[in-house]
Amino acid sequence: MTHGIHERQGTALISPAMGVPARVYRRLSEALGSGALASAASASGASAQSGFEVGVVARRGVEGGSPRPARAVDWSYEDEADDLAEAIAAARARTGGPVLVIGHSLGAQLAALAAQRSDHRPDGIVAIGASVPWFRHYGRRAVPFAALAASVGPVTAVVGHWPRQGFAGPTPRTLMRQWARMVLTGRPPFDLDGSIRVRALMVRLGDDELVTDQAAAAYEAAFFRDVVTRWTYDESCCPAGGDATHLGWSRAPVTGRYLPCIVVQLAPPGRSDRRIPCRPRPLGRQRPGSTTAKSDSRPSGSSGRITTEFPD
């Protein structure tokens, strides 16, 4: 259900990280839907006269009223990608405008999967903290990370789902097993074949404790090179009270330099990145090693739900 919709030029759908509730993205949603977006768009040369209609495509089993994962309540990456595709189709039918997906971590993986397997592809993707977290991308942390992934099969077999609080839990067994397979083999539920031609802004977080440069680059391999722009969001971009960790960026996520980077994804192709104040670099121009590496649901029958209200 969607609340508080106003007439907008396009739609921004936020696809949350694994186990993260919609309320975490309250500030991002408010900023994207505010008048601040129009002035930021003007600074970048993009056209966004009245901002976006904004919603969060809630994770299954996370929000109140959504059944929690259990032995009898299970779902997969593909199920959640279908939820996102349904939300994209509904937004496009409602407004007639372009649809931008802002995917965080798992949410970015779902955006890639939806772009490859659905007719309802977004018009732009902003991928924040996205990765293919193969354990070999993690240096000294590889062994404990692989051990965690190896424990998913036995634990979910016994419990019926992944119960661990503090790391992605509770999570349905099929989705968690797909995640564990990706960690152990480097093969995600989407293809790393450069087939996605949706314009994409890859936001690497400068202090991301869960994503390494190698893991982020692996995710980017799913996209055709010429549609990708990469930007490192570090402490120089953070407003007061903000940081550039895997989840911390959401506490104070936007500045006058951040919003134009998002708006430009819906601008006509070929617009020069040099007009964007935060200067994201095209993929081929990124300086190596610019990101500091520290680490890297709903049951069947439920329809995709877009949340625009954020209960505490």
Side-chain angles (χ1 to χ4, degrees):
M1 184 174 181
T2 304
H3 306 276
I5 295 302
H6 303 284
E7 197 66 33
R8 302 289 187 174
Q9 185 183 33
T11 304
L13 296 177
I14 300 170
S15 183
M18 186 183 292
V20 177
R23 66 177 180 273
V24 169
Y25 304 96
R26 183 202 305 263
R27 292 181 181 178
L28 178 60
S29 297
E30 290 172 348
L32 288 171
S34 73
L37 186 60
S39 59
S42 177
S44 70
S47 176
Q49 296 178 353
S50 58
F52 289 116
E53 172 187 304
V54 184
V56 180
V57 183
R59 287 279 72 81
R60 291 189 181 196
V62 174
E63 305 300 331
S66 177
R68 299 285 182 174
R71 190 173 300 280
V73 183
D74 189 37
W75 61 88
S76 66
Y77 264 85
E78 289 78 11
D79 292 328
E80 293 235 34
D82 288 345
D83 295 343
L84 179 58
E86 289 175 13
I88 292 169
R92 189 172 283 136
R94 184 172 58 252
T95 68
V99 180
L100 174 72
V101 171
I102 303 174
H104 176 209
S105 195
L106 170 72
Q109 296 171 348
L110 297 176
L113 186 55
Q116 287 181 339
R117 71 189 302 267
S118 172
D119 292 334
H120 305 298
R121 300 176 183 85
D123 298 287
I125 294 173
V126 177
I128 304 173
S131 71
V132 173
W134 187 25
F135 78 97
R136 293 187 182 275
H137 295 324
Y138 286 83
R140 281 181 248 178
R141 291 173 296 158
V143 172
F145 196 32
L148 172 65
S151 72
V152 169
V155 170
T156 55
V158 172
V159 181
H161 67 283
W162 180 254
R164 181 177 176 182
Q165 298 291 339
F167 182 81
T171 307
R173 64 180 177 278
T174 297
L175 188 149
M176 199 64 186
R177 287 174 179 178
Q178 290 176 294
W179 176 86
R181 189 179 307 121
M182 177 169 50
V183 172
L184 294 172
T185 68
R187 296 193 297 271
F190 49 92
D191 296 325
L192 301 177
D193 58 359
S195 63
I196 300 175
R197 292 177 177 262
V198 173
R199 299 183 70 208
L201 174 65
M202 306 297 179
V203 182
R204 295 193 184 184
L205 301 166
D207 294 315
D208 198 326
E209 70 279 15
L210 298 181
V211 178
T212 66
D213 276 343
Q214 287 179 298
Y219 172 84
E220 292 166 8
F223 292 76
F224 183 62
R225 187 178 183 88
D226 289 353
V227 303
V228 170
T229 296
R230 186 191 297 158
W231 178 42
T232 297
Y233 181 80
D234 57 23
E235 61 182 16
S236 69
C237 301
C238 291
D243 63 49
T245 58
H246 193 71
L247 190 58
W249 67 272
S250 62
R251 299 187 190 105
V254 287
T255 67
R257 293 188 291 172
Y258 186 26
L259 286 171
C261 300
I262 295 174
V263 173
V264 81
Q265 296 308 298
L266 294 183
R271 188 175 298 281
S272 172
D273 289 333
R274 288 175 296 180
R275 299 187 67 183
I276 306 173
C278 66
R279 299 183 183 275
R281 298 181 181 84
L283 187 59
R285 301 178 199 170
Q286 177 70 21
R287 292 177 298 181
S290 61
T291 299
T292 302
K294 294 186 179 178
S295 65
D296 249 300
S297 328
R298 292 183 316 260
S300 176
S302 296
S303 60
R305 182 173 65 169
I306 301 176
T307 298
T308 56
E309 293 181 342
F310 304 92
D312 294 327

